[in-house]
Amino acid sequence: MAEITNIINQLKESIRQDTFVRLTLSKNQDLGSTLKKVLIKLAVIKNQKQLSLVYRHKTNDITKNFPIEVACQEIENLMRDTFVIYNLFTITADWSAERIANGQLKLKEQKPSFTELPKRSHDKTKKRLITGTDYLQALNVLDSSGRVKKDKGDKYKQINKFVEIIDGLVRKNKDLLKKDVLQVVDMGAGKGYLTFALYDYLVKTAKVNAQVKGVEVRPDLIQLCNEVATKVGFKNLKFEVGYIGDYDLPKTDMLIALHACDTATDDAIFKGIQAKASLIICAPCCHKQIRKEIDDKTEFHAVLEHGILKERQAEIITDTIRALLMESKGYRTRVFEFISTEHTGKNLMIVGERHDREVDKVAIFEKIAGLKKAFGIGSHYLESLLV
Ligand SMILES: C[S@@+](CC[C@H](N)C(=O)[O-])C[C@H]1O[C@@H](n2cnc3c(N)ncnc32)[C@H](O)[C@@H]1O
């Protein structure tokens, strides 16, 4: 069919002249087929022009990228054997054709529907949210040539995921970006991996004038972190020895507590609520307090008979009540897994965003009371701090 060859030639010519917008093949002659259309666009993949074919099936799309010549052969086959309507869009003209019963084509040229070329780039270059390698090298996450150390892959993933979450939150709470000084406190900062990455993101990527403080009970870690902060020139990143429960929290916009042990998470949330922090972000770990409180003889005793299930149950109850208490104090809370369990089991995150809407405290306290009653819990540590 010479006309099909003509369209393929038009297609090739439009690619050569860089006027090609897209080609669609539709009306499958096999009415029972799940393949409904093929949409073709030009993509630049690893600096090579390719044609990207989206095979639109009834319930899903399958995309395949081919070098131009290979794609043209595939398109020609699809035109001959499968589809009867073809629409070629270029910025100089549109071409449409329908293959009719006797195999003939009616080719029509029309004014172009598009005057601008679409974006060609296909490579999804992920925007880097953290820029520095020096502190990650100093903290032994990267080696001297900037590669992730063998045993630090999970930590590196966790750092990046955490910063991605912060990026989303900061974009959503745009007022934080406009602050003259954004005050951030990371409680139970440990070796500071996440604190450094957070500072890097806020100051270098989000361009915020941030003052970040890491609070940690271990003086050796504080010394190490302050040395690294000085070495890499993070002048508004400071680490202080402190016990979260006793820490006199200054004005704070963002309160972070990642994997602070057991009730240290409650202490941190309490401090954040007291300071009216706009964001409270915590990843709880080891939920011992509620585990000890749970009464094994309630009507739910069957779900507590196996140690691991009791442990999980304690985690769920602890964090549910934490989220409810934060709600009662004017925080919209979300609880989610922030990184896949294959990288760390301690992957739950509670995020609270402060708002000034009215809260139905009675309903919230009823829910808490219901949970406590069901599991025979006398008190939840955060609740006792908040009374
Ligand atoms: C598991 S590490 C987590 C470190 C870091 N936040 C992270 O996620 O990579 C917990 C850290 O919290 C510190 N910590 C635990 N309880 C604390 C408390 N009450 N006050 C201050 N630091 C505490 C521990 O010393 C430890 O370094």
Side-chain angles (χ1 to χ4, degrees), residues 177-197:
L177 293 170
K178 293 182 204 142
K179 291 208 171 265
D180 292 339
V181 183
L182 181 75
Q183 305 280 1
V184 183
V185 178
D186 181 10
M187 294 193 141
K191 208 174 167 187
Y193 305 109
L194 301 163
T195 332
F196 274 91

Short mmCIF file of all heavy atoms in Angstrom, two decimals, residues 177-197:
data_model
loop_
_atom_site.label_atom_id
_atom_site.label_comp_id
_atom_site.label_asym_id
_atom_site.label_seq_id
_atom_site.Cartn_x
_atom_site.Cartn_y
_atom_site.Cartn_z
N LEU A 177 8.57 28.52 54.34
CA LEU A 177 9.65 28.96 53.44
C LEU A 177 9.88 30.47 53.52
O LEU A 177 10.94 30.96 53.17
CB LEU A 177 9.35 28.57 51.99
CG LEU A 177 9.33 27.08 51.68
CD1 LEU A 177 8.79 26.82 50.29
CD2 LEU A 177 10.73 26.50 51.81
N LYS A 178 8.82 31.17 53.95
CA LYS A 178 8.92 32.63 53.95
C LYS A 178 9.45 33.19 55.28
O LYS A 178 9.59 34.38 55.43
CB LYS A 178 7.53 33.23 53.67
CG LYS A 178 7.04 32.93 52.27
CD LYS A 178 5.68 33.57 52.05
CE LYS A 178 4.90 32.87 50.96
NZ LYS A 178 3.48 32.78 51.25
N LYS A 179 9.68 32.32 56.22
CA LYS A 179 10.10 32.81 57.55
C LYS A 179 11.48 33.45 57.48
O LYS A 179 12.35 32.99 56.74
CB LYS A 179 10.16 31.64 58.53
CG LYS A 179 8.80 31.10 58.86
CD LYS A 179 8.77 30.49 60.23
CE LYS A 179 7.35 30.16 60.62
NZ LYS A 179 6.69 31.17 61.39
N ASP A 180 11.67 34.53 58.25
CA ASP A 180 12.99 35.16 58.30
C ASP A 180 14.02 34.13 58.77
O ASP A 180 15.10 34.02 58.22
CB ASP A 180 12.99 36.35 59.27
CG ASP A 180 12.13 37.47 58.72
OD1 ASP A 180 11.91 37.47 57.49
OD2 ASP A 180 11.66 38.32 59.51
N VAL A 181 13.63 33.43 59.82
CA VAL A 181 14.49 32.34 60.31
C VAL A 181 13.58 31.15 60.61
O VAL A 181 12.60 31.29 61.34
CB VAL A 181 15.23 32.74 61.61
CG1 VAL A 181 16.15 31.61 62.04
CG2 VAL A 181 16.01 34.02 61.44
N LEU A 182 13.90 30.04 60.01
CA LEU A 182 13.12 28.82 60.28
C LEU A 182 13.84 28.03 61.37
O LEU A 182 15.00 27.61 61.19
CB LEU A 182 13.01 27.98 58.99
CG LEU A 182 12.20 26.70 59.12
CD1 LEU A 182 10.70 27.01 59.17
CD2 LEU A 182 12.49 25.75 57.95
N GLN A 183 13.15 27.85 62.48
CA GLN A 183 13.79 27.17 63.63
C GLN A 183 13.41 25.69 63.62
O GLN A 183 12.23 25.35 63.67
CB GLN A 183 13.29 27.79 64.94
CG GLN A 183 13.48 29.28 65.04
CD GLN A 183 14.92 29.66 65.42
OE1 GLN A 183 15.78 28.79 65.59
NE2 GLN A 183 15.16 30.96 65.54
N VAL A 184 14.41 24.86 63.55
CA VAL A 184 14.17 23.42 63.48
C VAL A 184 14.93 22.72 64.61
O VAL A 184 16.10 23.03 64.84
CB VAL A 184 14.66 22.85 62.12
CG1 VAL A 184 14.34 21.37 62.00
CG2 VAL A 184 14.04 23.62 60.96
N VAL A 185 14.26 21.82 65.29
CA VAL A 185 14.96 21.04 66.33
C VAL A 185 14.75 19.56 66.05
O VAL A 185 13.62 19.11 65.82
CB VAL A 185 14.46 21.40 67.75
CG1 VAL A 185 15.18 20.55 68.79
CG2 VAL A 185 14.69 22.88 68.04
N ASP A 186 15.87 18.82 66.03
CA ASP A 186 15.82 17.38 65.83
C ASP A 186 16.17 16.72 67.15
O ASP A 186 17.31 16.82 67.61
CB ASP A 186 16.82 16.99 64.72
CG ASP A 186 16.80 15.49 64.45
OD1 ASP A 186 15.90 14.79 64.97
OD2 ASP A 186 17.69 15.01 63.71
N MET A 187 15.20 16.05 67.75
CA MET A 187 15.42 15.48 69.08
C MET A 187 15.82 14.01 68.99
O MET A 187 15.16 13.24 68.30
CB MET A 187 14.18 15.65 69.91
CG MET A 187 13.91 17.12 70.19
SD MET A 187 12.68 17.31 71.45
CE MET A 187 13.33 18.69 72.34
N GLY A 188 16.87 13.66 69.68
CA GLY A 188 17.41 12.30 69.58
C GLY A 188 18.11 12.17 68.24
O GLY A 188 17.87 11.23 67.47
N ALA A 189 19.00 13.13 67.97
CA ALA A 189 19.60 13.26 66.63
C ALA A 189 20.58 12.13 66.31
O ALA A 189 20.91 11.90 65.15
CB ALA A 189 20.30 14.61 66.51
N GLY A 190 21.07 11.43 67.34
CA GLY A 190 22.00 10.33 67.12
C GLY A 190 23.26 10.80 66.43
O GLY A 190 23.87 11.81 66.80
N LYS A 191 23.61 10.10 65.36
CA LYS A 191 24.85 10.45 64.65
C LYS A 191 24.60 11.58 63.64
O LYS A 191 25.50 11.97 62.91
CB LYS A 191 25.39 9.20 63.96
CG LYS A 191 26.89 9.25 63.79
CD LYS A 191 27.42 7.95 63.23
CE LYS A 191 28.85 8.12 62.78
NZ LYS A 191 29.34 6.93 62.08
N GLY A 192 23.37 12.05 63.59
CA GLY A 192 23.08 13.27 62.83
C GLY A 192 22.89 13.11 61.33
O GLY A 192 22.72 14.11 60.63
N TYR A 193 22.85 11.86 60.83
CA TYR A 193 22.70 11.69 59.37
C TYR A 193 21.54 12.53 58.83
O TYR A 193 21.66 13.26 57.87
CB TYR A 193 22.36 10.24 59.01
CG TYR A 193 23.28 9.18 59.51
CD1 TYR A 193 22.87 8.31 60.52
CD2 TYR A 193 24.54 9.00 58.94
CE1 TYR A 193 23.70 7.29 60.96
CE2 TYR A 193 25.37 7.98 59.39
CZ TYR A 193 24.95 7.14 60.39
OH TYR A 193 25.76 6.14 60.82
N LEU A 194 20.39 12.36 59.51
CA LEU A 194 19.18 13.00 58.99
C LEU A 194 19.18 14.49 59.28
O LEU A 194 18.65 15.28 58.51
CB LEU A 194 17.94 12.32 59.57
CG LEU A 194 17.88 10.81 59.25
CD1 LEU A 194 16.93 10.08 60.16
CD2 LEU A 194 17.48 10.58 57.81
N THR A 195 19.82 14.87 60.36
CA THR A 195 19.88 16.30 60.72
C THR A 195 20.73 17.05 59.69
O THR A 195 20.36 18.15 59.25
CB THR A 195 20.51 16.45 62.13
OG1 THR A 195 20.26 15.29 62.90
CG2 THR A 195 19.96 17.68 62.83
N PHE A 196 21.86 16.47 59.32
CA PHE A 196 22.72 17.10 58.31
C PHE A 196 21.99 17.20 56.97
O PHE A 196 22.02 18.24 56.31
CB PHE A 196 24.01 16.28 58.12
CG PHE A 196 25.09 16.65 59.11
CD1 PHE A 196 25.19 15.99 60.32
CD2 PHE A 196 26.00 17.67 58.83
CE1 PHE A 196 26.18 16.33 61.24
CE2 PHE A 196 26.99 18.01 59.74
CZ PHE A 196 27.08 17.34 60.96
N ALA A 197 21.34 16.10 56.58
CA ALA A 197 20.65 16.09 55.29
C ALA A 197 19.52 17.11 55.29
O ALA A 197 19.28 17.81 54.30
CB ALA A 197 20.11 14.69 55.00
#
